[in-house]
Protein backbone atom coordinates (compact mmCIF):
# COMPACT_ATOMS: atom_id res chain seq x y z
CA UNK A 1 0.00 0.00 0.00
CA UNK A 2 2.78 2.38 0.93
CA UNK A 3 4.72 1.38 -2.16
CA UNK A 4 1.88 2.62 -4.32
CA UNK A 5 2.20 6.05 -2.78
CA UNK A 6 5.91 6.33 -3.39
CA UNK A 7 5.62 8.29 -6.62
CA UNK A 8 8.98 9.39 -7.91
CA UNK A 9 9.49 13.10 -8.06
CA UNK A 10 11.99 13.37 -10.92
CA UNK A 11 10.58 16.45 -12.63
CA UNK A 12 13.05 18.87 -14.12
CA UNK A 13 10.43 21.37 -15.19
CA UNK A 14 9.20 22.70 -11.89
CA UNK A 15 10.48 24.97 -9.12
CA UNK A 16 10.04 27.33 -6.28
CA UNK A 17 7.99 30.32 -5.46
CA UNK A 18 6.31 33.13 -3.52
CA UNK A 19 9.24 35.18 -2.18
CA UNK A 20 12.80 34.91 -3.41
CA UNK A 21 15.73 35.44 -1.08
CA UNK A 22 18.76 36.96 -2.70
CA UNK A 23 21.12 34.51 -4.32
CA UNK A 24 24.81 34.81 -5.02
CA UNK A 25 24.81 35.45 -8.74
CA UNK A 26 24.77 38.60 -10.75
CA UNK A 27 21.10 38.34 -11.66
CA UNK A 28 20.08 39.09 -8.10
CA UNK A 29 22.54 41.94 -7.75
CA UNK A 30 23.94 40.38 -4.60
CA UNK A 31 27.13 38.47 -3.90
CA UNK A 32 27.08 36.19 -0.87
CA UNK A 33 30.25 35.59 1.12
CA UNK A 34 30.82 32.23 -0.55
CA UNK A 35 30.65 33.69 -4.06
CA UNK A 36 32.91 36.51 -2.91
CA UNK A 37 35.53 33.84 -2.20
CA UNK A 38 35.67 33.05 -5.90
CA UNK A 39 35.73 36.74 -6.82
CA UNK A 40 38.90 37.14 -4.79
CA UNK A 41 40.68 34.46 -6.80
CA UNK A 42 42.52 35.41 -9.98
CA UNK A 43 39.75 34.68 -12.43
CA UNK A 44 40.36 34.23 -16.13
CA UNK A 45 44.09 34.77 -16.03
CA UNK A 46 47.34 33.25 -14.91
CA UNK A 47 46.61 29.55 -15.33
CA UNK A 48 48.30 29.14 -18.73
CA UNK A 49 49.72 31.22 -21.56
CA UNK A 50 48.11 28.76 -23.96
CA UNK A 51 44.54 29.44 -22.78
CA UNK A 52 42.49 32.53 -23.57
CA UNK A 53 39.73 33.40 -21.11
CA UNK A 54 36.34 34.24 -22.60
CA UNK A 55 33.75 34.49 -19.80
CA UNK A 56 32.50 33.06 -16.51
CA UNK A 57 29.36 31.06 -15.89
CA UNK A 58 26.44 33.22 -14.79
CA UNK A 59 25.26 31.59 -11.57
CA UNK A 60 21.96 32.94 -10.30
CA UNK A 61 21.68 31.13 -6.97
CA UNK A 62 24.56 28.68 -6.38
CA UNK A 63 27.35 30.03 -4.18
CA UNK A 64 29.69 27.09 -3.75
CA UNK A 65 31.26 26.60 -7.15
CA UNK A 66 32.28 28.73 -10.12
CA UNK A 67 33.22 28.09 -13.74
CA UNK A 68 35.47 30.07 -16.07
CA UNK A 69 35.38 29.41 -19.83
CA UNK A 70 38.33 29.51 -22.22
CA UNK A 71 38.60 29.33 -25.98
CA UNK A 72 38.43 25.97 -27.79
CA UNK A 73 36.12 24.35 -25.26
CA UNK A 74 38.27 24.48 -22.10
CA UNK A 75 36.64 25.22 -18.73
CA UNK A 76 37.99 25.78 -15.24
CA UNK A 77 35.82 24.60 -12.32
CA UNK A 78 36.48 26.12 -8.89
CA UNK A 79 35.00 24.60 -5.72
CA UNK A 80 34.71 26.13 -2.28
CA UNK A 81 37.43 23.92 -0.78
CA UNK A 82 39.98 25.71 -2.99
CA UNK A 83 40.26 22.98 -5.63
CA UNK A 84 40.53 23.85 -9.32
CA UNK A 85 39.79 21.50 -12.19
CA UNK A 86 40.59 22.15 -15.84
CA UNK A 87 38.11 20.33 -18.08
CA UNK A 88 39.89 19.52 -21.35
CA UNK A 89 37.84 18.82 -24.49
CA UNK A 90 38.11 15.39 -26.05
CA UNK A 91 40.37 16.55 -28.88
CA UNK A 92 42.41 18.93 -26.72
CA UNK A 93 45.65 18.74 -24.75
CA UNK A 94 46.43 19.97 -21.25
CA UNK A 95 48.73 23.03 -21.34
CA UNK A 96 52.30 22.24 -20.39
CA UNK A 97 52.61 25.37 -18.26
CA UNK A 98 49.49 24.62 -16.19
CA UNK A 99 49.71 25.24 -12.45
CA UNK A 100 50.47 21.92 -10.77
CA UNK A 101 47.70 22.50 -8.26
CA UNK A 102 45.09 22.41 -11.03
CA UNK A 103 43.62 18.95 -11.64
CA UNK A 104 43.15 17.99 -15.28
CA UNK A 105 39.87 16.30 -16.23
CA UNK A 106 39.82 15.09 -19.82
CA UNK A 107 36.53 14.40 -21.56
CA UNK A 108 34.93 11.96 -21.85
CA UNK A 109 34.98 11.22 -18.14
CA UNK A 110 34.22 7.50 -18.19
CA UNK A 111 33.48 5.11 -15.32
CA UNK A 112 32.89 7.85 -12.74
CA UNK A 113 32.68 6.64 -9.12
CA UNK A 114 29.55 8.47 -7.97
CA UNK A 115 29.23 8.65 -4.19
CA UNK A 116 27.37 11.98 -3.87
CA UNK A 117 23.80 10.68 -3.89
CA UNK A 118 22.21 13.99 -4.87
CA UNK A 119 24.32 14.12 -8.03
CA UNK A 120 22.83 10.91 -9.47
CA UNK A 121 19.51 12.60 -10.22
CA UNK A 122 21.39 15.29 -12.14
CA UNK A 123 23.20 12.66 -14.19
CA UNK A 124 19.79 11.14 -14.97
CA UNK A 125 18.44 14.52 -16.05
CA UNK A 126 21.44 14.94 -18.38
CA UNK A 127 20.99 11.43 -19.79
CA UNK A 128 24.46 10.82 -18.40
CA UNK A 129 24.30 7.41 -16.73
CA UNK A 130 26.64 6.08 -19.43
CA UNK A 131 29.38 8.12 -17.77
CA UNK A 132 28.86 6.43 -14.38
CA UNK A 133 30.72 3.18 -13.82
CA UNK A 134 30.63 2.84 -10.06
CA UNK A 135 28.14 3.65 -7.32
CA UNK A 136 28.63 4.30 -3.62
CA UNK A 137 25.27 2.71 -2.98
CA UNK A 138 23.88 -0.74 -3.78
CA UNK A 139 21.12 -1.10 -6.36
CA UNK A 140 18.35 -1.63 -3.81
CA UNK A 141 19.29 1.65 -2.15
CA UNK A 142 18.36 3.72 -5.19
CA UNK A 143 14.87 5.15 -5.69
CA UNK A 144 15.53 5.85 -9.36
CA UNK A 145 14.41 2.93 -11.48
CA UNK A 146 16.83 3.69 -14.30
CA UNK A 147 19.79 3.56 -11.89
CA UNK A 148 18.65 0.23 -10.44
CA UNK A 149 18.28 -1.19 -13.94
CA UNK A 150 21.78 -0.10 -14.92
CA UNK A 151 23.20 -1.74 -11.80
CA UNK A 152 21.22 -4.94 -12.33
CA UNK A 153 22.56 -5.10 -15.89
CA UNK A 154 26.09 -4.68 -14.54
CA UNK A 155 26.65 -1.37 -16.31
CA UNK A 156 27.12 0.38 -12.96
CA UNK A 157 28.90 -1.57 -10.22
CA UNK A 158 28.73 -1.13 -6.48
CA UNK A 159 32.19 -0.03 -5.34
CA UNK A 160 31.75 0.59 -1.63
CA UNK A 161 30.72 3.55 0.50
CA UNK A 162 32.62 6.80 0.81
CA UNK A 163 34.70 5.57 3.76
CA UNK A 164 35.48 2.08 2.41
CA UNK A 165 35.72 2.07 -1.40
CA UNK A 166 36.74 -1.03 -3.32
CA UNK A 167 39.99 0.40 -4.63
CA UNK A 168 40.85 -2.66 -6.70
CA UNK A 169 37.51 -2.59 -8.53
CA UNK A 170 37.64 1.18 -9.07
CA UNK A 171 41.22 1.24 -10.36
CA UNK A 172 40.92 -1.84 -12.59
CA UNK A 173 37.67 -0.45 -13.99
CA UNK A 174 39.38 2.64 -15.37
CA UNK A 175 37.70 5.20 -13.12
CA UNK A 176 38.40 8.75 -14.30
CA UNK A 177 36.81 10.74 -11.43
CA UNK A 178 35.34 10.25 -7.95
CA UNK A 179 32.40 12.54 -7.13
CA UNK A 180 32.10 12.59 -3.35
CA UNK A 181 29.85 14.36 -0.86
CA UNK A 182 31.15 16.35 2.10
CA UNK A 183 31.41 13.21 4.26
CA UNK A 184 34.72 12.50 2.54
CA UNK A 185 36.22 15.38 4.53
CA UNK A 186 35.98 13.11 7.58
CA UNK A 187 38.07 10.49 5.76
CA UNK A 188 40.86 12.48 4.09
CA UNK A 189 42.96 9.34 3.83
CA UNK A 190 40.41 7.88 1.39
CA UNK A 191 40.61 10.89 -0.91
CA UNK A 192 44.41 10.81 -0.71
CA UNK A 193 44.51 7.12 -1.65
CA UNK A 194 42.16 7.61 -4.59
CA UNK A 195 44.32 10.47 -5.82
CA UNK A 196 47.46 8.35 -5.36
CA UNK A 197 45.94 5.96 -7.92
CA UNK A 198 45.48 8.86 -10.32
CA UNK A 199 41.76 9.26 -9.65
CA UNK A 200 40.79 12.92 -9.06
CA UNK A 201 38.29 13.67 -6.29
CA UNK A 202 35.60 16.35 -6.65
CA UNK A 203 33.39 17.21 -3.67
CA UNK A 204 29.73 17.99 -4.31
CA UNK A 205 28.70 20.72 -1.83
CA UNK A 206 25.23 21.26 -3.23
CA UNK A 207 23.64 20.23 0.08
CA UNK A 208 25.17 23.35 1.67
CA UNK A 209 23.41 25.73 -0.72
CA UNK A 210 20.83 27.60 1.35
CA UNK A 211 18.51 28.37 -1.57
CA UNK A 212 16.78 25.35 -3.15
CA UNK A 213 17.52 26.71 -6.62
CA UNK A 214 21.19 26.92 -5.62
CA UNK A 215 21.18 23.17 -4.98
CA UNK A 216 19.53 22.53 -8.34
CA UNK A 217 21.94 24.86 -10.16
CA UNK A 218 24.74 22.36 -9.52
CA UNK A 219 23.43 20.56 -12.60
CA UNK A 220 25.38 23.20 -14.55
CA UNK A 221 28.64 21.94 -13.05
CA UNK A 222 27.84 18.41 -14.20
CA UNK A 223 26.86 19.76 -17.58
CA UNK A 224 30.41 21.12 -17.90
CA UNK A 225 31.94 17.81 -16.83
CA UNK A 226 29.88 15.78 -19.29
CA UNK A 227 29.97 18.31 -22.11
CA UNK A 228 26.22 18.85 -21.89
CA UNK A 229 26.03 22.48 -20.84
CA UNK A 230 23.04 23.33 -23.01
CA UNK A 231 20.97 20.49 -21.57
CA UNK A 232 21.94 21.53 -18.03
CA UNK A 233 21.02 25.18 -18.62
CA UNK A 234 17.72 24.18 -20.20
CA UNK A 235 16.82 21.96 -17.23
CA UNK A 236 17.61 24.74 -14.79
CA UNK A 237 15.79 27.40 -16.83
CA UNK A 238 12.63 25.31 -16.89
CA UNK A 239 12.67 25.27 -13.12
CA UNK A 240 13.17 29.02 -12.90
CA UNK A 241 10.13 29.50 -15.14
CA UNK A 242 8.12 27.23 -12.87
CA UNK A 243 9.27 29.33 -9.92
CA UNK A 244 7.74 32.38 -11.54
CA UNK A 245 4.50 30.51 -12.10
CA UNK A 246 4.24 29.48 -8.46
CA UNK A 247 5.27 32.95 -7.28
CA UNK A 248 1.91 34.23 -8.45
CA UNK A 249 0.02 31.91 -6.12
CA UNK A 250 -1.43 33.28 -2.90
CA UNK A 251 0.60 32.73 0.28
CA UNK A 252 -1.25 30.96 3.07
CA UNK A 253 0.88 32.17 5.99
CA UNK A 254 0.28 28.80 7.68
CA UNK A 255 2.97 27.38 9.96
CA UNK A 256 4.63 24.02 9.31
CA UNK A 257 7.18 21.95 11.22
CA UNK A 258 9.50 19.45 9.50
CA UNK A 259 11.02 16.87 11.86
CA UNK A 260 11.62 13.28 12.90
CA UNK A 261 12.05 11.48 16.21
CA UNK A 262 15.51 10.03 16.82
CA UNK A 263 16.21 6.63 18.35
CA UNK A 264 16.87 8.22 21.76
CA UNK A 265 13.66 10.25 21.77
CA UNK A 266 15.13 13.56 20.66
CA UNK A 267 13.61 15.65 17.86
CA UNK A 268 15.67 16.37 14.75
CA UNK A 269 14.69 19.60 12.99
CA UNK A 270 16.11 21.70 10.16
CA UNK A 271 17.85 24.97 10.92
CA UNK A 272 16.52 28.20 9.46
CA UNK A 273 19.23 28.37 6.78
CA UNK A 274 18.49 24.88 5.43
CA UNK A 275 16.73 24.38 2.10
CA UNK A 276 13.62 22.71 3.60
CA UNK A 277 12.61 25.79 5.65
CA UNK A 278 13.39 27.81 2.52
CA UNK A 279 10.98 25.64 0.53
CA UNK A 280 8.27 26.18 3.14
CA UNK A 281 8.81 29.94 3.08
CA UNK A 282 8.86 30.01 -0.72
CA UNK A 283 5.64 27.99 -0.72
CA UNK A 284 3.96 30.76 1.26
CA UNK A 285 4.22 29.29 4.74
CA UNK A 286 6.20 29.88 7.92
CA UNK A 287 8.64 27.31 9.26
CA UNK A 288 8.77 26.37 12.94
CA UNK A 289 10.82 26.10 15.04
CA UNK A 290 12.87 28.96 13.63
CA UNK A 291 16.32 27.78 14.74
CA UNK A 292 19.28 29.89 13.62
CA UNK A 293 22.55 27.98 13.26
CA UNK A 294 24.26 30.01 10.54
CA UNK A 295 27.65 30.10 12.18
CA UNK A 296 27.97 26.32 12.44
CA UNK A 297 26.70 25.69 8.89
CA UNK A 298 24.63 22.84 10.27
CA UNK A 299 21.49 22.03 8.33
CA UNK A 300 19.96 19.99 11.17
CA UNK A 301 19.96 20.01 14.94
CA UNK A 302 18.36 17.98 17.72
CA UNK A 303 16.34 19.28 20.63
CA UNK A 304 14.47 17.91 23.61
CA UNK A 305 10.85 16.94 22.97
CA UNK A 306 9.71 19.52 25.52
CA UNK A 307 11.50 22.28 23.60
CA UNK A 308 9.95 21.15 20.34
CA UNK A 309 6.55 21.04 22.04
CA UNK A 310 6.80 24.69 23.06
CA UNK A 311 7.90 25.77 19.58
CA UNK A 312 5.61 23.67 17.38
CA UNK A 313 2.55 22.68 19.44
CA UNK A 314 0.37 25.21 17.62
CA UNK A 315 1.81 24.60 14.14
CA UNK A 316 -0.89 24.29 11.49
CA UNK A 317 0.89 21.38 9.79
CA UNK A 318 3.42 18.72 10.75
CA UNK A 319 5.61 17.06 8.12
CA UNK A 320 7.43 13.93 9.30
CA UNK A 321 10.78 13.34 7.59
CA UNK A 322 10.91 9.65 6.74
CA UNK A 323 14.35 9.79 5.09
CA UNK A 324 16.12 8.50 8.19
CA UNK A 325 13.40 6.95 10.31
CA UNK A 326 11.27 5.28 7.62
CA UNK A 327 7.76 5.92 6.39
CA UNK A 328 4.75 6.03 8.69
CA UNK A 329 1.28 4.74 7.87
CA UNK A 330 -0.90 6.50 10.44
CA UNK A 331 -1.13 9.27 13.01
CA UNK A 332 -1.44 6.57 15.64
CA UNK A 333 1.97 5.24 14.63
CA UNK A 334 3.40 8.75 15.00
CA UNK A 335 1.94 9.15 18.49
CA UNK A 336 3.42 5.80 19.46
CA UNK A 337 6.83 7.38 18.92
CA UNK A 338 5.98 10.19 21.36
CA UNK A 339 2.68 10.52 23.24
CA UNK A 340 3.15 14.26 23.64
CA UNK A 341 2.57 14.70 19.90
CA UNK A 342 -1.10 13.88 20.49
CA UNK A 343 -1.54 17.36 22.00
CA UNK A 344 -0.30 19.14 18.87
CA UNK A 345 -2.85 21.21 16.97
CA UNK A 346 -1.93 19.61 13.62
CA UNK A 347 -2.38 16.11 15.03
CA UNK A 348 -5.78 16.92 16.51
CA UNK A 349 -6.92 18.49 13.22
CA UNK A 350 -5.50 15.70 11.04
CA UNK A 351 -2.96 17.93 9.28
CA UNK A 352 -0.01 15.52 9.50
CA UNK A 353 1.96 14.55 6.42
CA UNK A 354 4.96 12.32 5.71
CA UNK A 355 7.68 12.54 3.06
CA UNK A 356 8.61 9.84 0.62
CA UNK A 357 11.51 7.89 2.14
CA UNK A 358 13.77 8.48 -0.85
CA UNK A 359 13.11 12.19 -1.24
CA UNK A 360 16.74 13.08 -0.44
CA UNK A 361 17.87 11.33 -3.64
CA UNK A 362 15.59 13.43 -5.82
CA UNK A 363 17.71 16.55 -5.99
CA UNK A 364 15.91 17.81 -9.09
CA UNK A 365 12.47 17.60 -7.49
CA UNK A 366 12.72 20.70 -5.29
CA UNK A 367 10.09 22.48 -7.35
CA UNK A 368 7.63 19.64 -7.14
CA UNK A 369 8.22 19.44 -3.40
CA UNK A 370 7.61 23.17 -3.09
CA UNK A 371 4.38 22.94 -5.09
CA UNK A 372 3.26 20.04 -2.90
CA UNK A 373 3.92 22.09 0.23
CA UNK A 374 1.89 24.96 -1.23
CA UNK A 375 -0.98 22.54 -1.99
CA UNK A 376 -0.75 21.13 1.53
CA UNK A 377 -0.80 24.56 3.17
CA UNK A 378 -3.77 25.64 1.09
CA UNK A 379 -6.07 23.28 2.99
CA UNK A 380 -7.93 22.66 -0.26
CA UNK A 381 -8.80 18.95 -0.38
CA UNK A 382 -9.00 18.91 -4.17
CA UNK A 383 -5.56 20.50 -4.53
CA UNK A 384 -4.14 18.17 -1.90
CA UNK A 385 -5.15 15.19 -4.04
CA UNK A 386 -2.52 16.33 -6.56
CA UNK A 387 0.33 16.02 -4.03
CA UNK A 388 3.02 13.55 -5.11
CA UNK A 389 6.06 13.90 -2.83
CA UNK A 390 4.10 13.82 0.43
CA UNK A 391 1.21 11.74 1.72
CA UNK A 392 -1.26 12.50 4.49
CA UNK A 393 -1.39 10.36 7.62
CA UNK A 394 -4.83 9.24 8.73
Amino acid sequence: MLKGRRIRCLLAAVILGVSMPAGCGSQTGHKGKDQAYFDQKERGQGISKMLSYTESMDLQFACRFAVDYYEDGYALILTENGKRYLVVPEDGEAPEDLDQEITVLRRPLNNIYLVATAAMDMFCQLDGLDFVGFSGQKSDGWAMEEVRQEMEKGNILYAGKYDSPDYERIVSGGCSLAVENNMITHCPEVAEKLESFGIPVLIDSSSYESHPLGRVEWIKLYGVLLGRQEAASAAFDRQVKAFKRVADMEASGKTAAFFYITANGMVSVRTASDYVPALIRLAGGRYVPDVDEKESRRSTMVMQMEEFYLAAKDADYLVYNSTIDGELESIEELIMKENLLGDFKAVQEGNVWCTDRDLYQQSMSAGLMMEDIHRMLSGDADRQKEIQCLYQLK
Side-chain angles (χ1 to χ4, degrees):
M1 181 178 179
L2 262 180
K3 294 289 184 182
R5 284 199 294 254
R6 295 174 66 177
I7 304 171
R8 288 188 61 249
C9 303
L10 296 174
L11 189 65
V14 201
I15 215 150
L16 305 197
V18 183
S19 62
M20 181 170 64
C24 299
S26 58
Q27 178 168 315
T28 61
H30 170 74
K31 294 281 188 178
K33 64 178 181 180
D34 299 301
Q35 194 68 34
Y37 163 80
F38 298 118
D39 293 339
Q40 292 166 5
K41 306 287 284 187
E42 289 187 1
R43 303 288 297 278
Q45 59 180 327
I47 68 170
S48 171
K49 295 179 180 178
M50 300 173 63
L51 298 178
S52 298
Y53 169 80
T54 58
E55 61 182 337
S56 295
M57 179 182 287
D58 179 22
L59 291 172
Q60 300 177 36
F61 298 93
C63 298
R64 301 184 181 278
F65 77 92
V67 178
D68 290 338
Y69 295 111
Y70 295 80
E71 290 182 353
D72 301 320
Y74 289 81
L76 184 72
I77 295 175
L78 303 90
T79 57
E80 68 169 346
N81 61 352
K83 296 287 188 178
R84 292 181 292 170
Y85 305 84
L86 181 67
V87 181
V88 178
E90 193 169 348
D91 58 351
E93 296 291 336
E96 294 180 357
D97 61 345
L98 194 66
D99 189 325
Q100 293 183 352
E101 293 184 355
I102 298 177
T103 300
V104 175
L105 301 176
R106 187 184 304 278
R107 297 196 196 115
L109 293 166
N110 295 318
N111 298 317
I112 292 173
Y113 173 39
L114 192 54
V115 183
T117 307
M120 187 66 85
D121 195 5
M122 298 182 185
F123 274 74
C124 290
Q125 295 292 335
L126 295 173
D127 194 23
L129 289 184
D130 288 346
F131 294 92
V132 181
F134 306 99
S135 167
Q137 189 158 203
K138 296 180 179 179
S139 61
D140 59 4
W142 287 108
M144 289 162 274
E145 181 64 28
E146 56 266 57
V147 179
R148 290 201 301 267
Q149 290 179 358
E150 290 300 301
M151 294 194 73
E152 289 166 2
K153 292 176 184 176
N155 295 331
I156 299 177
L157 304 177
Y158 175 63
K161 297 181 179 180
Y162 75 95
D163 57 350
S164 54
D166 186 336
Y167 296 107
E168 183 177 356
R169 167 169 282 188
I170 293 169
V171 174
S172 63
C175 176
S176 61
L177 174 67
V179 178
E180 303 274 356
N181 56 37
N182 280 279
M183 294 299 292
I184 195 66
T185 59
H186 302 293
C187 304
E189 69 280 1
V190 172
E192 290 172 5
K193 191 165 185 178
L194 286 169
E195 290 171 342
S196 73
F197 289 125
I199 300 173
V201 175
L202 185 148
I203 297 178
D204 180 306
S205 299
S206 60
S207 63
Y208 285 104
E209 298 285 358
S210 59
H211 195 291
L213 271 177
R215 296 164 66 94
V216 174
E217 199 165 18
W218 273 72
I219 195 172
K220 293 182 180 180
L221 181 149
Y222 295 110
V224 172
L225 290 178
L226 304 187
R228 297 185 176 173
Q229 297 97 311
E230 289 186 6
S233 294
F236 179 73
D237 289 345
R238 287 193 296 269
Q239 298 183 36
V240 173
K241 289 178 182 178
F243 153 73
K244 294 177 181 177
R245 180 179 67 247
V246 180
D248 293 333
M249 297 181 181
E250 184 179 355
S252 69
K254 298 288 187 179
T255 52
F258 187 91
F259 73 104
Y260 75 88
I261 306 297
T262 68
N264 60 1
M266 302 286 282
V267 183
S268 176
V269 299
R270 299 299 180 106
T271 59
S273 60
D274 180 67
Y275 83 104
V276 172
L279 279 174
I280 292 172
R281 292 191 294 268
L282 291 168
R286 292 190 296 113
Y287 173 75
V288 293
D290 188 14
V291 182
D292 191 350
E293 286 284 330
K294 290 181 180 178
E295 294 303 318
S296 67
R297 285 201 351 169
R298 289 191 299 174
S299 61
T300 64
M301 68 167 292
V302 294
M303 59 175 56
Q304 297 286 344
M305 184 63 211
E306 291 76 10
E307 186 180 359
F308 180 69
Y309 178 90
L310 293 174
K313 177 180 180 293
D314 295 322
D316 297 301
Y317 290 85
L318 295 182
V319 180
Y320 194 78
N321 180 11
S322 67
T323 300
I324 305 297
D325 196 37
E327 294 176 334
L328 302 178
E329 295 194 37
S330 66
I331 291 179
E332 181 180 0
E333 188 176 350
L334 175 64
I335 295 176
M336 287 177 63
K337 291 181 173 293
E338 172 53 63
N339 290 332
L340 204 57
L341 289 170
D343 294 337
F344 280 55
K345 173 186 175 182
V347 172
Q348 294 176 356
E349 295 182 354
N351 292 326
V352 183
W353 296 72
C354 189
T355 68
D356 180 283
R357 182 169 186 166
D358 299 309
L359 186 65
Y360 76 99
Q361 292 183 8
Q362 301 160 2
S363 57
M364 294 297 292
S365 68
L368 185 54
M369 180 65 172
M370 187 279 307
E371 283 196 325
D372 280 351
I373 293 173
H374 190 278
R375 293 183 181 114
M376 177 191 74
L377 296 175
S378 73
D380 186 327
D382 289 335
R383 291 196 66 212
Q384 290 178 347
K385 290 178 182 178
E386 301 174 9
I387 292 176
Q388 298 182 56
C389 291
L390 306 170
Y391 61 91
Q392 190 170 13
L393 298 182
K394 301 295 185 180

